[in-house]
Amino acid sequence: MIKLNISPEQLERAKEMYQFNALKNSVTEGKSNIYGAIGEVMVYDYFKDTYWKDKFDVKLENTFNYDLIINGYTIEIKTKKTSNIAISEEYNVNIFATSKHQMCDYYFFTIVTDDFKLCYLLGYLKKIDFYKIATFANKGDSDGPYFKFTADCYNVKIKDLIKFQ
């Protein structure tokens, strides 16, 4: 997993991305839009600005079905927020059941700290591979000893993702 510092400029760009209240089927009713937006900005910048920048054609798209296009592949970025900076490989990444219809080639997963200081690029999977290994959980089921799932969702452990280099 890759840990990145979030700059004030990146946070400002994320705030400008979503000038509306909530996406359809938003589990948090729009309260987490900014975390999703910062995840998108961080992945975009990572592929635009890293030492491999000449190997990637990256476009920020923000469509209903995907967020980025990288070398012709459509990418949906899924971001969680956390107050914990000790991220375990045993944690789940999720796709809510209401998002299963999204037409994308890959899912990329990130975690953003609730103070907007850090973003973790956790890894990725092809959409088809995600659903092959995912387990399903119903809203209210336990997600470890301290959390309950807030909606029906498909889950994969961070340790089972392909890691970013």
Side-chain angles (χ1 to χ4, degrees), residues 78-97:
K78 297 297 184 185
T79 301
K80 284 182 153 182
K81 72 173 179 167
T82 187
S83 57
N84 182 4
I85 59 168
I87 309 301
S88 168
E89 290 281 315
E90 293 298 319
Y91 289 175
N92 285 316
V93 294
N94 325 91
I95 303 294
F96 292 119

Side-chain angles (χ1 to χ4, degrees), residues 62-135:
N62 291 321
T63 72
F64 182 68
N65 288 304
Y66 53 87
D67 302 309
L68 298 176
I69 299 176
I70 300 177
N71 290 354
Y73 293 102
T74 55
I75 313 297
E76 175 63 16
I77 299 167
K78 297 297 184 185
T79 301
K80 284 182 153 182
K81 72 173 179 167
T82 187
S83 57
N84 182 4
I85 59 168
I87 309 301
S88 168
E89 290 281 315
E90 293 298 319
Y91 289 175
N92 285 316
V93 294
N94 325 91
I95 303 294
F96 292 119
T98 56
S99 296
K100 190 175 179 185
H101 66 278
Q102 288 179 300
M103 304 295 288
C104 59
D105 298 313
Y106 287 88
Y107 291 123
F108 284 14
F109 297 93
T110 69
I111 291 179
V112 172
T113 56
D114 57 5
D115 61 4
F116 301 107
K117 292 192 187 289
L118 298 172
C119 177
Y120 296 86
L121 305 185
L122 303 175
Y124 63 94
L125 284 172
K126 284 185 176 179
K127 179 181 177 180
I128 193 167
D129 294 335
F130 179 90
Y131 290 105
K132 283 180 185 175
I133 64 171
T135 58

Side-chain angles (χ1 to χ4, degrees), residues 14 34-44 77 79 110 112 119 121:
I34 186 62
Y35 296 96
I38 198 69
E40 292 171 28
V41 166
M42 298 305 289
V43 171
Y44 175 81
I77 299 167
T79 301
T110 69
V112 172
C119 177
L121 305 185

